[in-house]
Amino acid sequence: MGEFKVHRVRFFNYVPSGIRCVAYNNQSNRLAVSRTDGTVEIYNLSANYFQEKFFPGHESRATEALCWAQGQRLFSAGLNGEIIEYDLQALNIKYAMDAFGGPIWSMAASPSGSQLLVGCEDGSVKLFQIIPDKIQFERNFDRQKSRILSLSWHPSGTHIAAGSIDYISVFDVKSGSATHKMLVDRQYMGVSKRKCIIWGVAFLSDGTVISVDSAGKVQFWDSATGTLVKNHLIANADVQSIAVSDQEDSFVVGTAEGTVFHFQLVSVTSNSSEKQWVRTKPFQHHTHDVRTVAHSPTALISGGTDTHLVIRPLMEKVEVKNYDAALRKITFPHRRLISCSKKRQLLLFQFSHHLDLWRLGSTVATGKHGDTLPLSKDADHLLHLKTKGPENIICSCISPCGSWIAYSTASRFFLYRLNYEHDNISLQRVSKMPAFLRSALQILFSEDSTKLFVASNQGSLHIIQLLEGNFKHLHTFQPQSGTVESMCLLAVSPDGNWLAASGTSAGVHVYSVKRLKLHCTVPAYNFPVTALAIAPSTNNLVIAHSDQQIFEFSIPDKQYTEWSRTIQKQGFHHLWLQRDTPITHISFHPKRPMHILVHDAYMFCIIDKSLPLPNDKTLLYNPLPPTNESDVIRRRTAHAFKISKIYKPLLFMDLLDERTLVAVERPLGDIIAQLPPPIKKKKFGT
């Protein structure tokens, strides 16, 4: 594997935002997740749960509701009173529309997907018609006395249930009038509470309404008579969310204690056709409130204040032991938040509303393998660059020479020139950026820091020549005709001649920077690209996909390399393919052309193309044999994959020079320590 001096960096003080809503789309098998800072993420569950798209947050968009309609259309609503529709191709907001009912607490799409309901602060329930490019207000339902916190459609689309404070209303959709009002018991553990908040409702085909509330209860109501049928007290705190399976044979609820409960419809006796709801399984995968849950055909999905997105498989629904059979916790975004200036040994950290620039520490001490060396010079915090305005930062980058910083929000692009004088640093903003650089999804500098490559959310790629304190627009590659596919990943060759760009689908385009035209397109693959890089000297493009496959494509020859064909013929080791975190970074050793360096959140790997590939009978994570063993044994156990799991969770790793690595870790305990305290639970003996 080679010996490296490693900078272990743990001062990236990144804390993900808590999860507020999740919405599962059965047609496309995708999951939309909204966070407390307004960010919305799209996960492709068919592509190993890869986070393929995201929409940056905004200070004024506190998202309270999220839903899919008409197959692929995604809507959100929140406390600013607006309904937002997202453009899933251009990766921006299509429009925002005021519902004129004050803050919006709940939203639900009709079973047909043609209508949208929102529940507002002023007690109104508003119905909107979904038309091809927009939504259109249709009418108000009977106004209630307090805010509408939860909504659910009857599968027939004729009635809706609305949860409020102390009561549940059932509305007739055709007339808009309330047919029943069901008063909820305020009793909580034998004590009368002041108010009972209905956090979630679910309307079943047989007319049953299931409600979850702040008194820790799951209740079953008969909507025809407005009477309580059954009551389950399951928690000493709020039950905050509910989701029902499409078959209506199971549902899942989440509590403020961090517990997720699974209810199933089971037969009363083995020969009986009569069925009843039974609480079957509790799961404790969260430390804080479970704010939202979803129910896919094969899994229970939950998220909350502790920032984890948890996918718990239903083992009775999983036929084969594959991706769907493993419990997953997704904590970190599947995109880069860190960039590195190798020449000056600087790291740029991206947060929601600011950037931090650090200079790495150094040491003159020496030691043997595995030793921790004392620093002779500590790491320096050089710069804190705060954004103006309410928008979150989408992407950022520092140039390899350390003299330029670029970042973008949803509506503005910023470029800064850095000047170093001894230990002082000065910042000069490049003004009058052109209008076409209004927003970027990805930014990348060339190896010699003379060019800047910008991928816009309209599918175009801009090449900017960097001059002393200024810039010059060289060229724009327009998207292929008939598409507005956004480019989310960029890679430039070290010689600056080639630019590779990958979109939100599986395609990769390679452009000639010298001739300013499209050179070739890599053959399409079924799974999205998670990382790509171009090797020095050979100009081979290495591409990692979400199913853990890695391809090597020769740009000059416009075809896959012999090594890549050998890998596809033999296949990767089964343990490699079963990893559930995507490769997020690829780099190369400057003096060892046969080495490819890759990492995900839980492992760092050097792939040596000169060694044979491991087969399923060999150990993939093979520890190096003792030094006193003969070279024959060492050669027999050696294979192409050298894997280290020392550093985790690993957000960034790269070579600073041929003998030095930098690894940025973010321990989960440090994140939990910065969250608000969870609800205290009395444990036995305390």
Side-chain angles (χ1 to χ4, degrees):
M1 193 168 184
E3 288 192 0
F4 297 98
K5 188 165 69 175
V6 181
H7 292 269
R8 292 188 75 169
V9 173
R10 290 193 170 188
F11 46 75
F12 180 28
N13 195 24
Y14 171 71
V15 179
S17 295
I19 293 172
R20 182 60 193 93
C21 312
V22 295
Y24 174 68
N25 187 328
N26 208 358
Q27 291 182 25
S28 62
N29 200 25
R30 280 171 170 78
L31 184 76
V33 176
S34 74
R35 296 185 179 267
T36 51
D37 66 349
T39 301
V40 173
E41 303 160 347
I42 311 289
Y43 292 83
N44 187 343
L45 274 56
S46 302
N48 198 10
Y49 298 85
F50 178 60
Q51 187 192 108
E52 62 182 6
K53 301 174 185 179
F54 87 102
F55 300 88
H58 193 284
E59 281 182 352
S60 69
R61 287 203 304 266
T63 306
E64 284 292 324
L66 194 66
C67 75
W68 296 90
Q70 287 189 348
Q72 294 291 329
R73 294 178 68 175
L74 180 65
F75 296 89
S76 76
L79 300 184
N80 63 355
E82 290 181 339
I83 303 169
I84 292 169
E85 183 174 0
Y86 298 91
D87 188 328
L88 299 181
Q89 288 298 314
L91 296 188
N92 58 15
I93 289 173
K94 196 181 279 187
Y95 60 85
M97 181 176 177
D98 198 324
F100 295 103
I104 298 172
W105 292 95
S106 52
M107 180 168 59
S110 65
S112 65
S114 60
Q115 292 173 305
L116 196 67
L117 272 178
V118 294
C120 303
E121 172 75 21
D122 64 359
S124 63
V125 177
K126 297 174 183 288
L127 184 66
F128 291 83
Q129 198 73 30
I130 299 174
I131 54 179
D133 290 318
K134 218 167 182 182
I135 58 172
Q136 189 173 293
F137 176 73
E138 199 166 320
R139 71 163 176 277
N140 283 314
F141 287 14
D142 287 353
R143 182 171 291 190
Q144 305 303 297
K145 290 180 181 176
S146 57
R147 64 180 65 146
I148 307 297
L149 291 158
S150 49
L151 288 167
S152 179
W153 288 79
H154 187 273
S156 67
T158 57
H159 290 80
I160 63 159
S164 191
I165 297 173
D166 289 336
Y167 61 89
I168 302 162
S169 303
V170 177
F171 291 92
D172 182 279
V173 173
K174 201 169 185 180
S175 65
S177 58
T179 58
H180 282 99
K181 193 171 281 189
M182 299 170 286
L183 196 64
V184 180
D185 185 8
R186 297 185 186 184
Q187 288 280 317
Y188 171 72
M189 304 292 286
V191 179
S192 181
K193 292 189 76 177
R194 195 174 57 192
K195 288 180 180 177
C196 185
I197 302 167
I198 315 301
W199 287 119
V201 288
F203 215 148
L204 305 186
S205 301
D206 63 0
T208 301
V209 175
I210 309 172
S211 67
V212 296
D213 58 43
S214 59
K217 300 190 297 290
V218 176
Q219 295 185 314
F220 297 82
W221 304 83
D222 185 338
S223 65
T225 59
T227 54
L228 179 65
V229 177
K230 200 169 184 183
N231 181 41
H232 288 267
L233 181 63
I234 64 166
N236 295 327
D238 297 42
V239 184
Q240 296 184 308
S241 48
I242 180 170
V244 182
S245 68
D246 285 346
Q247 288 75 31
E248 296 187 357
D249 58 356
S250 78
F251 68 88
V252 57
V253 298
T255 73
E257 296 172 332
T259 311
V260 171
F261 290 101
H262 188 206
F263 285 76
Q264 288 175 286
L265 195 60
V266 297
S267 300
V268 177
T269 58
S270 56
N271 299 321
S272 171
S273 59
E274 186 187 348
K275 294 186 174 183
Q276 66 178 13
W277 288 102
V278 176
R279 191 180 81 194
T280 54
K281 305 183 196 87
F283 304 116
Q284 189 77 41
H285 299 305
H286 295 274
T287 57
H288 291 63
D289 304 40
V290 179
R291 299 292 303 274
T292 179
V293 290
H295 199 312
S296 83
T298 57
L300 308 178
I301 301 161
S302 55
T305 309
D306 66 1
T307 78
H308 300 308
L309 179 65
V310 176
I311 296 110
R312 170 83 193 192
L314 295 168
M315 296 310 294
E316 65 269 21
K317 304 276 188 183
V318 178
E319 296 173 6
V320 186
K321 189 187 175 186
N322 59 7
Y323 293 141
D324 295 329
L327 171 73
R328 290 161 184 270
K329 270 191 180 184
I330 301 171
T331 307
F332 300 105
H334 295 162
R335 62 183 190 276
R336 296 274 298 280
L337 298 173
I338 301 160
S339 58
C340 176
S341 165
K342 297 180 182 181
K343 184 179 176 183
R344 290 188 181 270
Q345 301 212 339
L346 304 173
L347 289 176
L348 183 69
F349 297 141
Q350 177 184 318
F351 296 85
S352 295
H353 291 281
H354 71 274
L355 302 172
D356 276 343
L357 184 65
W358 286 77
R359 182 190 288 127
L360 292 170
S362 58
T363 182
V364 293
T366 55
K368 58 182 187 295
H369 178 70
D371 283 358
T372 301
L373 304 178
L375 287 175
S376 54
K377 187 179 180 185
D378 288 338
D380 290 332
H381 185 200
L382 300 179
L383 182 68
H384 177 84
L385 184 57
K386 197 169 183 341
T387 64
K388 292 179 180 178
E391 296 175 332
N392 284 17
I393 297 173
I394 299 176
C395 56
S396 60
C397 194
I398 186 169
S399 63
C401 70
S403 297
W404 298 91
I405 286 177
Y407 74 89
S408 178
T409 65
S411 62
R412 297 186 74 186
F413 184 89
F414 297 87
L415 180 63
Y416 290 90
R417 172 82 176 176
L418 298 175
N419 298 304
Y420 300 89
E421 293 177 16
H422 307 296
D423 285 340
N424 296 325
I425 183 169
S426 62
L427 201 63
Q428 178 191 350
R429 183 180 165 191
V430 179
S431 58
K432 296 180 182 175
M433 299 304 293
F436 60 79
L437 279 183
R438 194 176 64 219
S439 179
L441 286 177
Q442 191 64 261
I443 306 167
L444 189 65
F445 288 92
S446 61
E447 197 80 10
D448 60 4
S449 302
T450 61
K451 291 186 180 69
L452 174 65
F453 304 96
V454 179
S456 79
N457 61 7
Q458 297 301 319
S460 51
L461 293 169
H462 308 291
I463 304 178
I464 308 296
Q465 178 85 42
L466 297 174
L467 309 169
E468 188 68 34
N470 212 328
F471 67 92
K472 179 186 174 187
H473 175 233
L474 289 184
H475 188 72
T476 294
F477 294 113
Q478 296 298 341
Q480 304 301 307
S481 58
T483 66
V484 288
E485 186 191 35
S486 303
M487 296 297 171
C488 299
L489 290 170
L490 297 177
V492 64
S493 60
D495 60 15
N497 292 336
W498 305 105
L499 175 68
S502 168
T504 49
S505 67
V508 179
H509 304 295
V510 181
Y511 300 90
S512 170
V513 179
K514 269 188 175 178
R515 289 183 285 169
L516 298 176
K517 68 175 190 177
L518 179 67
H519 175 69
C520 65
T521 299
V522 179
Y525 187 63
N526 295 334
F527 288 84
V529 177
T530 65
L532 70 165
I534 301 174
S537 67
T538 61
N539 280 331
N540 288 338
L541 173 64
V542 179
I543 308 167
H545 291 270
S546 66
D547 64 343
Q548 311 300 354
Q549 295 288 342
I550 295 176
F551 296 92
E552 188 181 49
F553 184 85
S554 171
I555 293 175
D557 298 337
K558 299 185 182 181
Q559 63 180 10
Y560 289 115
T561 64
E562 201 58 45
W563 178 79
S564 186
R565 293 177 193 277
T566 305
I567 276 200
Q568 296 311 312
K569 196 174 179 182
Q570 180 178 327
F572 283 94
H573 197 285
H574 71 280
L575 290 178
W576 177 268
L577 296 176
Q578 284 172 12
R579 290 170 27 255
D580 60 4
T581 51
I583 289 169
T584 51
H585 188 225
I586 302 170
S587 57
F588 305 94
H589 197 289
K591 301 285 174 145
R592 296 175 188 160
M594 299 303 282
H595 286 191
I596 302 171
L597 286 68
V598 302
H599 81 79
D600 64 17
Y602 293 97
M603 69 94 208
F604 167 63
C605 175
I606 295 178
I607 303 173
D608 188 343
K609 296 192 291 180
S610 64
L611 291 174
L613 296 168
N615 58 39
D616 281 353
K617 293 179 182 175
T618 60
L619 236 72
L620 178 67
Y621 304 105
N622 57 332
L624 290 173
T627 50
N628 59 1
E629 287 200 30
S630 69
D631 284 341
V632 178
I633 297 174
R634 190 183 283 268
R635 278 197 298 272
R636 198 184 302 151
T637 58
H639 58 69
F641 286 72
K642 303 294 182 288
I643 295 172
S644 168
K645 289 192 168 186
I646 298 172
Y647 315 102
K648 54 188 178 183
L650 186 59
L651 297 191
F652 177 81
M653 191 169 224
D654 202 0
L655 276 167
L656 292 174
D657 56 51
E658 57 191 85
R659 298 189 61 83
T660 312
L661 281 166
V662 57
V664 180
E665 299 170 272
R666 187 63 177 139
L668 295 177
D670 293 357
I671 293 175
I672 297 295
Q674 294 191 43
L675 297 177
I679 289 176
K680 290 181 180 177
K681 287 187 284 186
K682 184 172 174 62
K683 294 183 179 177
F684 179 76
T686 61

